[in-house]
């Protein structure tokens, strides 16, 4: 009598694509380690701020010297001072530096604000040191000032308004708070300005050498 060998095999489990998809990330993490995500979300720039304020931006490379200021280059002023003193030897770079700094510290920009129809955010930028002189008409509300540039920026005429500073050199004032890395531009509105304000610019005025600017109702 012959014995009959019966091979009993367990039937294979049916293939489930959904289960594989769910387990694949866990398998990869266990064998290869986790990889941190490099995806970041960019800053939100709204078309209007929460208070409906309008951002008006002014950008320059340098301000304007006063009418009575010596407008010759600093090295020419240094040479003239040397000749007036009757010195035979050239002045040292340290001595000439005072003429350069004197001209830099005198530069001003005047901004006349007459738009009282909406709160205003002033975005002011300059590479060189500037004194921003702000004059407001009755009813004007300046919600915030963004002061940006490379060298020291100073501001007058904004009272207790918050001043956010983005300059390389220290720009002190009673309401000035250093907020971040410096930036400036006089040919366009930099994205850093709109990010700092949290709103798109309503107007832009830019020049290499700035003098007097007007911010009025309906300007673009």
């Amino acid at each position: 009598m012959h014995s009959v060998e019966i091979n009993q095999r367990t039937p294979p489990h049916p293939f489930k694509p959904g289960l594989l998809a769910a387990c694949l990330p866990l398998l990869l993490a266990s064998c290869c380690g986790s990889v941190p995500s490099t995806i970041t979300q960019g800053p939100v720039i709204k078309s209007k701020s929460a208070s409906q304020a309008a951002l008006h931006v002014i950008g320059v490379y340098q301000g304007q010297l006063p009418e009575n200021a010596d407008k010759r280059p600093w090295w020419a002023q240094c040479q003239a001072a040397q000749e007036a003193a009757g010195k035979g030897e050239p002045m040292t770079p340290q001595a000439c530096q005072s003429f350069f700094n004197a001209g830099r510290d005198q530069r001003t920009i005047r901004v006349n604000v007459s738009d009282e129809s909406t709160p205003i955010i002033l975005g002011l930028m300059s590479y060189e040191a500037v004194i921003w002189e702000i004059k407001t008409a009755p009813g004007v509300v300046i919600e915030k000032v963004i002061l940006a540039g490379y060298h020291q920026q100073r501001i007058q005429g904004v009272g207790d308004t918050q001043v956010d500073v983005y300059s390389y050199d220290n720009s002190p004032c009673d309401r000035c708070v250093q907020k971040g890395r410096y930036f400036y531009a006089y040919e366009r509105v930099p994205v850093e300005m709109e990010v700092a304000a949290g709103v798109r610019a309503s107007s832009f005025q830019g020049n290499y050498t700035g003098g007097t600017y007007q911010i009025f109702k309906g300007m673009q």
Side-chain angles (χ1 to χ4, degrees), residues 50-77:
S51 64
Q52 305 299 307
L55 171 62
H56 295 281
V57 182
I58 298 172
V60 303
Y61 180 85
Q62 62 183 9
Q64 196 172 52
L65 287 170
E67 290 298 327
N68 59 351
D70 190 338
K71 296 179 175 60
R72 292 176 297 176
W74 64 271
W75 50 266
Q77 297 181 46

Side-chain angles (χ1 to χ4, degrees), residues 23-40:
C23 296
L24 185 58
L26 297 177
L27 294 173
L28 292 176
S30 62
C31 69
C32 305
S34 60
V35 179
S37 173
T38 58
I39 300 175
T40 57

Side-chain angles (χ1 to χ4, degrees), residues 57-61 123-126 132 185-188 204-208 213:
V57 182
I58 298 172
V60 303
Y61 180 85
L124 310 174
M125 304 177 291
S126 173
W132 297 88
Y186 60 90
E187 296 178 337
R188 58 179 176 81
F204 173 70
Q205 301 175 74
N207 299 95
Y208 185 87
Y213 295 91

